[in-house]
Amino acid sequence: MTDGEQRPELTASTSGAEPRAGDAERERVAEKLRVAAGEGRIDLAELDERLDQTYRAKTYSELDALLADLPDKRPTGALATPGSETMLLKTHGSTVKQNGRWTVPRKIVAECGVPNIVIDFTEASCAHRDVTVEASCGLGNIKLIVPRGWTVRIDGSSTNTSHISNKVDAPTDPAAPTLTLIGHPRSGYIRIRQPRR
């Protein structure tokens, strides 16, 4: 855990006992491990082993040990908490599709374990000039389909960019939205394309 993260204070009755970690702390450590794997600091086999240990950890010291040999920083791809301007898409064992007529928020957070997430902006209504998609995937894939004229950029904080494919090649329209992808694929792929004619 970093110095900026709060730990529960011990009361007199528990003095000497080690603070217990909760689900939120385990998730923060798991995300740091995924980012480290995306940066090539640990391989996939070690990632799986450390994630297993993370979710079984009961104390802060057990979690600290899993990050001891990694740079002490907050993950660049930390997943946002959904708000009024944020849409969260998360797979639970089946493919998730966001398509048809829908309203695009300023930010979309896509979390994909298995199998896939498809976000189709073709018929969507977008009132924003800038839209951010934070996408992370394990074994599954994430596909973004954007209308012709949209500008697509891959943010510099993205990791494992060899697993990110941007096939958007039509001329951009200055009046159309710009979509910024912050991508963290692990074994799966993030693909961006335009609708087929």
Side-chain angles (χ1 to χ4, degrees):
M1 312 305 297
T2 63
D3 293 339
E5 294 172 2
Q6 298 295 317
R7 299 186 181 204
E9 294 182 4
L10 293 175
T11 62
S13 62
T14 60
S15 181
E18 188 172 356
R20 307 277 287 192
D23 288 340
E25 290 80 24
R26 293 185 193 97
E27 287 298 333
R28 278 197 290 268
V29 170
E31 183 59 27
K32 290 181 182 183
L33 292 171
R34 292 185 187 102
V35 170
E39 294 172 340
R41 300 181 192 280
I42 56 177
D43 61 30
L44 294 179
E46 188 174 5
L47 173 64
D48 288 339
E49 180 182 344
R50 291 197 191 197
L51 286 176
D52 183 59
Q53 293 173 7
T54 297
Y55 291 116
R56 288 190 286 108
K58 293 181 171 55
T59 65
Y60 282 98
S61 63
E62 290 176 301
L63 292 176
D64 287 339
L66 295 167
L67 301 175
D69 59 347
L70 299 174
D72 186 17
K73 64 178 183 178
R74 297 190 66 82
T76 55
L79 299 176
T81 302
S84 59
E85 288 296 319
T86 302
M87 172 186 289
L88 175 63
L89 300 173
K90 190 171 184 177
T91 57
H92 294 283
S94 60
T95 294
V96 172
K97 290 185 178 181
Q98 180 67 43
N99 56 6
R101 299 187 182 279
W102 57 288
T103 301
V104 179
R106 289 185 186 276
K107 186 175 186 178
I108 299 171
V109 176
E111 303 175 33
C112 178
V114 289
N116 304 305
I117 291 178
V118 178
I119 308 174
D120 188 346
F121 296 90
T122 307
E123 298 181 29
S125 172
C126 183
H128 308 295
R129 291 300 306 272
D130 296 287
V131 175
T132 300
V133 176
E134 288 189 14
S136 61
C137 58
L139 296 174
N141 301 309
I142 296 175
K143 182 189 297 181
L144 307 178
I145 305 172
V146 301
R148 296 179 186 280
W150 281 37
T151 299
V152 175
R153 59 179 292 270
I154 310 300
D155 190 82
S157 65
S158 297
T159 56
N160 201 15
T161 53
S162 64
H163 282 222
I164 300 175
S165 170
N166 180 10
K167 298 292 187 182
V168 173
D169 56 5
T172 59
D173 180 352
T178 295
L179 186 149
T180 299
L181 171 72
I182 304 173
H184 298 291
R186 197 176 91 193
S187 298
Y189 288 81
I190 300 173
R191 295 183 171 92
I192 311 165
R193 66 170 178 83
Q194 291 157 329
R196 294 184 175 88
R197 293 187 182 277

